[in-house]
Amino acid sequence: MRLPAITFEEFLESFLREKLADGMISTINVAGELSFFAKEENAKRIEKWRLLEISVIKLFPIQYRLQNITKEEQTPPTITITSSLINLCEPLPIDKKNETCPDGTYVCQIITNKLSKEDKSPRVITIRPIAGDLNDEGIFKPVIALEPASNKDDTSGPLLITLNGGSYAEQKQQANFTFICNTEKDNITTLEYNNEENTLIIRWETPAACGQKILEDKGMSGFTKFIIFLIIIALCYFGFGAAYNYHVYKAHGWDLLPHLDFWRDFPYLISDVFKYLINSIRTVPLAPPDVIFNLTAKYKADTFAQKVNLGVGAYRDDAGKPWVLPVVKKVEQALVNDPSRDHEYLPILGLPTFREASIRLILGADSPAIKENRVTAAQTISGTGANHLGALFLSRFYSKEVPIYLSNPTWANHKPIFNNVGLETRNYAYFNPKDNGLDIDGSIVLLHACAHNPTGVDPTQDQWKAIADVIESKKLFPFFDCAYQGFASGDLDRDAWAVRYFVERGFELLICQSYAKNFGLYGQRAGCLTFVLKNSDAAARVSSQLAKLQRSEISNPPAHGARIVDRVLNNPELYAEWVENLREMSSRIKNMRDALRDCLIKSNTPGNWDHITNQIGMFSFTGLKAPQVAVLKEKFHIYLTDNGRISMAGLSTSNVEYVANSINHVVNNVA
Ligand code: KET
């Protein structure tokens, strides 16, 4: 088969446009390698073209050689000497004298005259640039026409390369190279200039033009392969055997050779190797400490008298002590004295009355969703457990493929919780009503029901409505995390407004409730995961699956904390007392906000500190930078997370001034 003459660019163009017919094609790349391609059998797409056998002609060695060919002719009364300078890859070097080829020339002829053979100073008559980009940018773009007169079995035929470019006497010039395979010599055998076509014709015999067969698999016979296989086996046998004898018997010299013992021990050896590999796979890397709880550990270890813990979101009284809510204390006492109390397992989904009360607390007692029997809940290991069970459920029954969008920033544990069940987490810019342009259709989106952690900035009701619009239009699944009900506004119903609004709009959603903060039951791990669904049938199905997941995860939830919450929520008097206790906590936090802001202003701390009192909930996102936080920790023994979040409950009338002065110091002195 004779291949068509095509330029490199033409070839690429046609290749990319998938215009090639069946059969073979050839290409030459810039390194001068000629390759033949053939279509793979049954290939459907053009990408399936593969390098067939076959033959690569290494023009590379030729291209990088500067050739200077001189031809002498008797042209009475003088002698004409034609020097042809050729370098196919780089422009020819220029020397100082004006008797040489212009800049950018790849092929050039210099014609000189001398009077006799003895004449030592010939005169330059003509300098004729033949190939090269001599015009605009000085960049040479080779235009290579390729015409291998060969088929796939015969790759040694002549190969024609044409270099275009160079203008002389307003005529386009051209150099035609015909490469001929010659394994014996490497020289230019013919050189002439065709005046009619302005073409320098060069015949170049060289071993570089000889096709080198690239052997395909067929190159190695079955027998050779077998012999190689045996050699490898023997090498392994002697190698492993010697290593074994050396390690086990401390053998040397001939004793290293494997003997029968080796075979007896071989199975154990293999099992040892596997055990070793499995153990090294199982090697547990050291995990970094938790960003929040590590602060508590460091605070506890610190012996400095004025140390302050503003890290974990846990309420403290004005003496900096953990506070057991009086109502909790009262109920706990009643529980202890209750002779009917035992320590049996709770049902898998937890205390039924606790769950019902939790649902009423978040949705409102008169929620239509409750009346329509389309709500279901599971008692969980506090808020974290609710987040986990919700994530696990969604990864099984919603989709493992869709990501969950978390506000940026969010609670440090959200990402690990969702990643642990295989859900991908992504961020959404924390609410900006102008920026609804996220391409997140069908995903899950996590919303902090109230008292956003860590920013302390909640959407207004109008902004919640706008968020609901986006969630509806993008068909997102709302995942509410509600760890601070009662802490945002001090009013339980007002803090549940967003969740109730979404339920009213008819969304299917889930809510994670924590009683750690609003009941001060941190270590008791009382929480609830509630699903609001389209109908009671869906609620029953979800409930059954929650029970199945819960059984394999924790079997059933812990009783003590849930019993306390249950009694309080289901008894109007205790409930009223609880609301009072909650108010006490939230108003102390509010007082601390005022006090901190006042102190910062009084001490002329640069910046605007209004956000301290504008923000709500347990935290303040101070705006302090990581280096400033580091100094607060190291120099002032004040512990807070690196993002500048402080737990307002860690402040008290006795330490707020110290904290404000320390903040003043870092704001003034640390960039
Ligand atoms: N959600 C949010 C938003 C949250 O801030 C927390 C706890 C939880 C859920 C879980 O709380 P649980 O104790 O599982 O009911 N946040 C504080 C404590 C922690 O990190 O675990 C904190 O941010 O300091």
Side-chain angles (χ1 to χ4, degrees), residues 290 292-293 311-314 381-385 387 411 413-414 448 453 481 483-484 514-517 522 525-526 619 645:
D290 181 79
I292 293 174
F293 281 89
V312 69
I381 306 285
S382 208
T384 309
N387 274 271
W411 176 42
N413 211 13
H414 274 145
H448 294 230
N453 174 7
D481 188 5
Y484 301 94
S514 165
Y515 294 110
K517 332 277 167 164
Y522 304 95
R525 316 308 289 141
F619 302 106
R645 181 192 88 164

Side-chain angles (χ1 to χ4, degrees), residues 249-304:
Y249 304 112
K250 301 278 167 280
H252 287 282
W254 288 108
D255 288 344
L256 282 172
L257 285 179
H259 39 78
L260 271 183
D261 284 0
F262 174 75
W263 288 111
R264 201 192 55 216
D265 291 347
F266 188 69
Y268 302 103
L269 196 69
I270 296 290
S271 101
D272 283 354
V273 168
F274 270 104
K275 273 188 203 147
Y276 171 78
L277 286 177
I278 286 166
N279 279 341
S280 50
I281 290 164
R282 283 199 194 136
T283 305
V284 179
L286 190 69
D290 181 79
V291 289
I292 293 174
F293 281 89
N294 193 39
L295 289 173
T296 309
K298 284 203 165 145
Y299 168 80
K300 281 190 174 158
D302 191 336
T303 53
F304 186 69

Side-chain angles (χ1 to χ4, degrees), residues 15 20 33 72 76 96 103 115 149 192 209 218 224 256-257 279 310 319 329 361 421 434 497 530 560-561 577 626 630:
F15 187 84
L20 287 161
E33 289 182 352
E72 203 178 281
K96 281 114 241 122
D103 193 7
L115 294 171
E192 59 190 61
K218 66 186 174 196
T224 321
L256 282 172
L257 285 179
N279 279 341
L310 305 179
K329 220 178 231 171
L361 181 69
V421 299
K434 286 189 205 110
W497 186 89
T530 295
H560 187 64
E577 249 182 77

Side-chain angles (χ1 to χ4, degrees), residues 392 394-403 419-424 444:
L392 183 65
L394 292 178
S395 75
R396 294 285 161 80
F397 299 105
Y398 188 72
S399 168
K400 220 178 173 108
E401 307 310 318
V402 300
N419 290 164
N420 269 353
V421 299
L423 286 175
E424 183 201 343
I444 306 162

Side-chain angles (χ1 to χ4, degrees), residues 469-486:
D469 290 342
V470 176
I471 290 182
E472 191 173 61
S473 71
K474 298 211 165 265
K475 297 188 174 56
L476 305 178
F477 187 89
F479 186 117
F480 277 99
D481 188 5
C482 183
Y484 301 94
Q485 191 179 0

Side-chain angles (χ1 to χ4, degrees), residues 362-384:
I362 188 68
L363 299 186
D366 52 356
S367 168
I370 300 177
K371 291 196 187 101
E372 288 153 18
N373 214 12
R374 53 187 181 88
V375 188
T376 188
Q379 183 190 324
T380 57
I381 306 285
S382 208
T384 309

Side-chain angles (χ1 to χ4, degrees), residues 498-571:
V499 172
R500 293 178 192 177
Y501 173 74
F502 272 67
V503 173
E504 200 181 293
R505 290 234 342 211
F507 283 101
E508 286 200 311
L509 50 85
L510 68 78
I511 312 132
C512 303
Q513 281 167 278
S514 165
Y515 294 110
K517 332 277 167 164
N518 52 14
F519 267 86
L521 288 171
Y522 304 95
Q524 292 303 336
R525 316 308 289 141
C528 192
L529 168 68
T530 295
F531 274 84
V532 178
L533 298 144
K534 282 271 180 274
N535 53 47
S536 60
D537 180 45
R541 281 184 279 117
V542 168
S543 177
S544 69
Q545 292 295 350
L546 284 176
K548 196 170 163 222
L549 292 175
Q550 176 104 306
R551 174 77 172 120
S552 61
E553 291 264 306
I554 59 164
S555 188
N556 39 59
H560 187 64
R563 281 189 179 134
I564 297 169
V565 175
D566 176 39
R567 287 204 178 194
V568 173
L569 295 185
N570 286 307
N571 177 311

